[in-house]
Amino acid sequence: MGQYIGIDIGTTSLKAAVFDENGVRKALKCVNYSLQTDAETGYIEFDAEQYFQMCEKVIAELQTECGIIDALSIDTQGETLILADKDGKPLCPAIVWLDNRAQSEADDIAKEFGHKQVYDVTGQPEITATWPASKLLWVRRNKSDIFNSIDKIFMLEDWILYRLTGNFVTEPTIQSSTIYYDIHNMSWWQKMLDYIGISEKNLPKVVESGVPVGTYKGITVVSGTLDQIAGTIGVGVVDETKISEMTGTIMAICVMKDEPPAYREDSIVPCHLHAIKGKYCMILWSATAGMALKWFKEQFASDMSFADIDKIAEGVSAGCDGMTMLPYFCGSVIPHYNPQATASFSGVTLAHTKAHFARSIMEAVAFMLRDNLEYAQAPCDSELRITGGAASSRLWSEIMADVTKRTLHTVSESETACLGAAILAMVGVSRYATVEDAVKATVKTKKTYCPSGADYTSAYDRYRALDKKMNQRSK
């Protein structure tokens, strides 16, 4: 039976797992790392070579533990930029996606092109300092010696593929948020390249996700995808009938589309290319989700486990007897962008208990999920595949099913991004003909939650009214 590695490179951790062709995980390795931050400049960087060294290390460990590996693929964070000379040697540390040094350049791009044109070409409704186009323009203006020496421009996935195989290649999903890639014509956007001063010869060859791009020590290396999209594949979301949702520290939602939604001036929801050719993916996220319940536990219920909190919250009726909570501990992002928004509890009386506060947080996150799904115009009959902390809580999962009026499924595999990358590796070496075929064989659901009929109508209306009053909405 074949064995496949999926490598998931996040912002501060790298995970790599081996799966067999049935999706059974055989081994897992995790490496945590810290970014290099400069308090004076605000730069957020990381040594590009260390990214590759971590990959080398985990691949070797997994080979030792599991034996022959047939293929591997990689998913990574988007927008992390690596600039190299003609020999592929980095000219400076990787500029991590979180880095905001290029705000002035982002503003200038917005003035030059306008938000609608950028969205219509690239699928990105915002023009921010984190986009690689903004960062490249900043390097051109502020580090001319580096800019004039650039021969190769990598996203993080491209960099790992290059270091593993020696081939200068990329795939469309990781380029979707550079704002210099045309997601309709599947080509570089020449007008943007001209504006920031780079050439197509500086950019990798574009191939599809899930195709062989070289070998590394006898292992076939297959093109990967953006980390969020790998996660959708790893939970079995391959068409519009399903939506993926992850409630971890934050909430992340991926809604597949057959066509990019038309531009909306009030929308900040990005539309990425999906790893499945011809498909698109709207990615929505909120800065606080599971973090809110963790805060409650640490501050007011440190002697209780999350299971204990579930137990007391279960004794409270739906709607929390009139209590309403807004979960904006770190501002509001989607659907209402307001970095100054804060969390709040409303309708509190002497009759409310610790259990009410706990349940109100669970309900608020479910309301936020419903608000996002409605904003994204997700099909009403699509089911949810959920992961993260909420998926491990029966009560929270039931609340989400009732609030969204959708069937929810949890999945057996917790490392869904690694599995998604491994699925692309399987497709790349023709173990399965398509991603859809591979998903059918490897992704297994664990629990199912159907709406119970609990009525949250008035509670959701209270949430929306409080949100409108307290969270002043601005684009």
Side-chain angles (χ1 to χ4, degrees):
M1 185 173 288
Q3 297 192 118
Y4 309 88
I5 294 177
I7 301 176
D8 170 40
I9 308 180
T11 304
T12 57
S13 70
L14 179 152
K15 293 181 179 181
V18 174
F19 297 90
D20 69 19
E21 59 198 43
N22 294 321
V24 177
R25 193 208 306 164
K26 299 297 185 179
L28 174 68
K29 301 295 177 183
C30 182
V31 181
N32 296 314
Y33 59 94
S34 298
L35 302 175
Q36 300 152 5
T37 59
D38 188 316
E40 184 176 336
T41 62
Y43 295 176
I44 302 177
E45 301 177 328
F46 192 72
D47 180 2
E49 190 62 23
Q50 286 190 45
Y51 283 124
F52 173 64
Q53 290 170 358
M54 289 187 290
C55 288
E56 270 194 317
K57 180 176 182 291
V58 295
I59 292 170
E61 290 174 348
L62 291 171
Q63 283 182 299
T64 299
E65 185 172 341
C66 299
I68 296 173
I69 304 297
D70 293 83
L72 67 83
S73 190
I74 303 152
D75 71 79
T76 73
Q77 60 195 261
E79 296 98 54
T80 291
L81 183 69
I82 297 167
L83 308 175
D85 63 16
K86 60 182 178 61
D87 297 317
K89 182 179 178 181
L91 296 164
C92 57
I95 305 176
V96 177
W97 72 272
L98 290 164
D99 190 294
N100 278 297
R101 72 183 71 179
Q103 186 56 57
S104 177
E105 286 69 28
D107 294 342
D108 289 345
I109 290 172
K111 292 176 184 175
E112 179 70 19
F113 291 89
H115 289 82
K116 185 178 187 303
Q117 182 179 187
V118 170
Y119 179 83
D120 286 343
V121 175
T122 73
Q124 300 302 317
E126 290 189 289
I127 301 169
T128 74
T130 63
W131 299 154
S134 305
K135 292 170 179 171
L136 282 163
L137 189 55
W138 182 93
V139 174
R140 179 185 179 186
R141 291 175 175 177
N142 295 275
K143 300 285 184 179
S144 58
D145 55 332
I146 292 175
F147 189 83
N148 292 333
S149 300
I150 293 173
D151 185 76
K152 296 178 176 64
I153 297 170
F154 300 94
M155 296 298 101
L156 179 53
E157 181 194 334
D158 314 338
W159 169 244
I160 302 301
L161 293 177
Y162 177 77
R163 295 292 281 111
L164 289 173
T165 69
N167 294 322
F168 189 34
V169 295
T170 189
E171 49 79 24
T173 73
I174 204 70
Q175 297 294 338
S176 290
S177 54
T178 60
I179 69 166
Y180 49 73
Y181 190 75
D182 186 332
I183 67 171
H184 305 278
N185 296 313
M186 306 293 282
S187 62
W188 303 112
W189 186 15
Q190 191 60 51
K191 283 180 63 177
M192 185 63 74
L193 298 186
D194 292 343
Y195 184 75
I196 59 182
I198 61 173
S199 167
E200 282 194 30
K201 69 180 181 62
N202 303 128
L203 298 166
K205 176 185 177 182
V206 182
V207 300
E208 294 178 16
S209 293
V211 300
V213 296
T215 60
Y216 173 76
K217 296 185 177 180
I219 303 172
T220 299
V221 178
V222 175
S223 55
T225 188
L226 184 70
D227 53 3
Q228 294 285 356
I229 292 174
T232 72
I233 295 171
V235 297
V237 175
V238 292
D239 58 40
E240 288 193 49
T241 66
K242 300 177 183 67
I243 298 167
S244 70
E245 185 277 337
M246 186 277 294
T247 300
T249 300
I250 69 168
M251 174 184 286
I253 305 165
C254 292
V255 179
M256 286 191 67
K257 295 285 185 181
D258 290 331
E259 297 288 343
Y263 174 74
R264 288 167 53 187
E265 189 174 355
D266 66 332
S267 175
I268 58 172
V269 180
C271 180
H272 286 257
L273 287 162
H274 197 276
I276 298 173
K277 187 177 181 180
K279 299 289 186 179
Y280 300 84
C281 185
M282 296 179 70
I283 299 178
L284 302 89
W285 65 282
S286 300
T288 310
M291 181 192 297
L293 194 63
K294 182 181 179 183
W295 166 85
F296 171 82
K297 179 183 182 302
E298 291 175 347
Q299 300 302 322
F300 306 108
S302 58
D303 59 333
M304 302 175 71
S305 67
F306 284 110
D308 293 333
I309 292 172
D310 276 9
K311 188 173 182 179
I312 64 169
E314 193 168 14
V316 177
S317 60
C320 286
D321 297 319
M323 180 187 291
T324 305
M325 190 261 177
L326 291 182
Y328 303 133
F329 284 86
C330 300
S332 169
V333 183
I334 296 173
H336 317 302
Y337 180 71
N338 182 3
Q340 283 75 48
T342 58
S344 61
F345 294 86
S346 176
V348 183
T349 70
L350 291 174
H352 288 112
T353 66
K354 180 187 293 187
H356 285 86
F357 280 87
R359 185 175 182 118
S360 72
I361 292 171
M362 295 180 183
E363 290 187 359
V365 172
F367 293 149
M368 186 167 62
L369 169 60
R370 176 174 169 179
D371 200 14
N372 274 266
L373 293 175
E374 291 175 350
Y375 185 73
Q377 300 176 346
C380 295
D381 57 350
S382 53
E383 70 176 49
L384 280 166
R385 295 286 179 97
I386 65 171
T387 59
S392 63
S393 164
R394 178 184 58 81
L395 174 62
W396 209 345
S397 298
E398 289 173 349
I399 291 171
M400 286 184 166
D402 284 326
V403 167
T404 63
K405 300 178 182 179
R406 297 170 186 269
T407 299
L408 273 62
H409 293 285
T410 62
V411 292
S412 298
E413 177 54 57
S414 59
E415 300 300 334
T416 53
C418 288
L419 177 56
I423 284 170
L424 290 175
M426 296 175 200
V427 174
V429 292
S430 300
R431 175 60 191 86
Y432 295 102
T434 65
V435 172
E436 293 91 335
D437 290 342
V439 161
K440 288 177 184 177
T442 60
V443 178
K444 301 170 181 64
T445 57
K446 186 176 182 180
K447 293 183 179 179
T448 299
Y449 298 90
C450 298
S452 70
D455 187 3
Y456 282 92
T457 304
S458 62
Y460 183 57
D461 288 344
R462 289 199 312 269
Y463 170 85
R464 291 291 302 272
L466 183 63
D467 185 28
K468 186 175 182 180
K469 182 177 181 179
M470 301 297 292
N471 176 16
Q472 296 298 314
R473 304 174 184 184
S474 59
K475 189 172 186 299

